Amino acid sequence: EGGEGMLIEFLFAISKALGLIGCGFFARSLGYTSPQVGAGLSEFVGKVAVPSALFRSLSTLPIFPGQDGVSVELTVLLCGFFGKFVLFFTAAFLGLVLRKSLATCAVFGLVCSLSNDAALGLPILSTTHSETGTSLVFLMTLPCCSLLLPIGLAMCEMSRKQKGRDSGGFFSVLGVTLSRVMRQPLIVSVGLAVAYNYSTNAAPLPRVVDQCLESIMRSLVVAALFSLGSSLVNTNLSFESLLSPLILVALKLAGPGLVCRLSAAPLFGFDSKASLEMLSLYSALPAAPIVWAISKDQKADSDTIGAAVVMGTLLCGPAMVLENDGFREEAQQLAVRLFQRAQDYSGVHIEF
C-alpha cells in the first residue's frame, strides 16, 4: 500500500502541474485570456504569492539550535545545498559560454537550483519520507533563498550596468545593486521570516495573519503554472534554441543528485543510503515557476526558461522513478498489471 500510495501521489502531483500549464496554454490559444492576464499573474506570483509563502513557511519552521522538530541532520542539509551551489555556478558558466547576458546567466543558475517545492516537493517528499522529507523541503528553501537567490538578483542588477542603464563608479553601482536586491519582495520576506522565527522561537503566527497567508499560498501554484502555460503561446523556439533548455533540464534533474552522491562521504562524512536517496529525489524536482517570473521581470531569455520549466516537469517523472526504490518497484508492478490486462483483453497470452 505504501508503494502504491507513493506512486499515486507522485502521478497526481505531476498531472496537476501539467494540467494547470495546459489550461493556461489553451485558454490563451483560444482567446479566452489576453496577454495582460499572464503578465499580471506572473507579477502577482513573484511579488506577492511567493514572498507570502516563504514568510509563512520559514517563520514557524524550527531552524535554529534549541528549537524542537528539526528532523534532518545538518550534514545532509549541507550536502544538499552544496549540490545546488555547484549547479548554480555550472549553469551560470554555461550561459557565459553561450555568450548570454549576465542576467540570463543568473536565471540559468536559478533554474538549476530552485525547485518546485510547493506543487511537487511537499506532496512527494512528505509521502516518501514523511516528516523528514517535509523538513528537508522547507529547510533547503532557507539557504537557497537567502544565498543563491540574492546572488542571482545581484547578477541581474549588474547586468543593468552592462547595458548602460546605470552610471557611476564601482562603489556607486555596488550600493545601487545592493539596495535594489535588498528591496526585492523575495529577499524582504525571507529576512522578516528569519527575524520573526528567531525572536519568537518559531511561535505560531496570529490566526488572522496565518489564514490570510494560507489563502494567498493556495493561489500560488495555480497562478504560477497557469501564467507559465499562457506565456508558451507564440513562443519562438527553434530546434537549435531547444538545446539550451534541454541542457538546463538535464543539469537540474541529474546534476545536484550526482554531486551529492559524490561529495557525501568525502566532504560531509555520511553515506546513509536513505539520506542519499532522499537528497537525490529532492534534487530531481523540476525548476520552480518563480524563476520564469524572474526571467520575465528581468527580460532575461524568458522563452528558454519557460521551456526548461515545462520540459523539466514532463521529464521529472522518469528521473524520480530512477531515484526511488519504492517508485521503481511500484512502476514495475503497475507495468506487469497493465500487461496482464492487455493479454486478457486481447486473448493472447505470452509466457516469459
Side-chain angles (χ1 to χ4, degrees):
E1 182 180 354
E4 183 178 357
M6 288 192 297
L7 188 63
I8 290 175
E9 187 68 37
F10 168 72
L11 294 175
F12 177 75
I14 297 293
S15 301
K16 183 173 66 173
L18 293 175
L20 288 170
I21 293 173
C23 286
F25 179 84
F26 287 111
R28 177 71 188 94
S29 298
L30 297 173
Y32 294 151
T33 59
S34 66
Q36 289 74 22
V37 171
L41 285 175
S42 66
E43 187 172 8
F44 166 76
V45 169
K47 296 183 178 179
V48 179
V50 173
S52 299
L54 287 174
F55 178 81
R56 183 174 183 265
S57 301
L58 296 177
S59 60
T60 57
L61 184 72
I63 55 178
F64 290 105
Q67 296 179 344
D68 297 330
V70 179
S71 57
V72 183
E73 294 182 4
L74 179 61
T75 53
V76 176
L77 291 173
L78 290 175
C79 183
F81 178 69
F82 179 73
K84 287 179 173 287
F85 185 85
V86 170
L87 263 294
F88 176 90
F89 287 101
T90 300
F93 179 74
L94 171 66
L96 291 176
V97 172
L98 297 176
R99 299 182 182 276
K100 301 289 187 179
S101 68
L102 194 58
T104 300
C105 293
V107 294
F108 274 19
L110 291 175
V111 84
C112 289
S113 54
L114 299 185
S115 301
N116 190 351
D117 296 336
L120 299 176
L122 281 177
I124 293 174
L125 269 295
S126 62
T127 302
T128 58
H129 294 85
S130 189
E131 293 181 0
T132 304
T134 303
S135 295
L136 176 71
V137 172
F138 281 130
L139 290 172
M140 285 300 297
T141 301
L142 181 60
C144 290
C145 291
S146 59
L147 292 176
L148 294 183
L149 185 58
I151 291 174
L153 293 175
M155 291 171 65
C156 290
E157 294 300 335
M158 291 171 63
S159 183
R160 296 176 186 266
K161 170 62 178 176
Q162 290 182 344
K163 293 179 180 179
R165 299 179 189 175
D166 292 323
S167 59
F170 172 78
F171 290 104
S172 174
V173 173
L174 180 63
V176 171
T177 298
L178 291 176
S179 175
R180 286 174 173 168
V181 170
M182 296 307 295
R183 290 201 305 267
Q184 289 283 342
L186 291 167
I187 305 302
V188 172
S189 67
V190 172
L192 290 175
V194 172
Y196 177 89
N197 189 304
Y198 182 78
S199 61
T200 65
N201 199 28
L205 293 167
R207 185 176 179 183
V208 174
V209 175
D210 185 66
Q211 291 183 347
C212 180
L213 294 177
E214 183 182 9
S215 298
I216 296 175
M217 283 181 64
R218 289 176 179 175
S219 66
L220 165 60
V221 175
V222 177
L225 296 177
F226 187 93
S227 61
L228 174 58
S230 177
S231 73
L232 295 177
V233 179
N234 300 325
T235 297
N236 297 317
L237 284 174
S238 62
F239 174 77
E240 291 78 8
S241 62
L242 284 175
L243 292 177
S244 293
L246 276 173
I247 294 173
L248 292 174
V249 169
L251 286 174
K252 174 66 186 76
L253 298 183
L258 179 61
V259 173
C260 290
R261 290 182 183 277
L262 294 177
S263 62
L267 293 182
F268 301 99
F270 76 94
D271 57 359
S272 168
K273 181 181 178 181
S275 297
L276 286 173
E277 184 183 79
M278 181 174 65
L279 281 176
S280 298
L281 188 63
Y282 173 74
S283 300
L285 291 170
I290 180 58
V291 182
W292 169 77
I294 293 173
S295 69
K296 290 280 288 186
D297 182 58
Q298 299 293 335
K299 297 179 176 59
D301 210 349
S302 59
D303 287 350
T304 297
I305 300 303
V309 173
V310 175
M311 292 165 63
T313 305
L314 284 168
L315 296 175
C316 72
M320 287 189 170
V321 169
L322 291 174
E323 293 291 354
N324 185 267
D325 291 337
F327 285 162
R328 282 199 302 272
E329 293 173 3
E330 185 60 26
Q332 292 170 358
Q333 294 173 9
L334 179 61
V336 170
R337 289 198 297 269
L338 291 175
F339 183 72
Q340 290 174 345
R341 289 185 181 181
Q343 287 188 112
D344 295 338
Y345 179 80
S346 64
V348 178
H349 293 274
I350 302 174
E351 298 292 339
F352 292 96

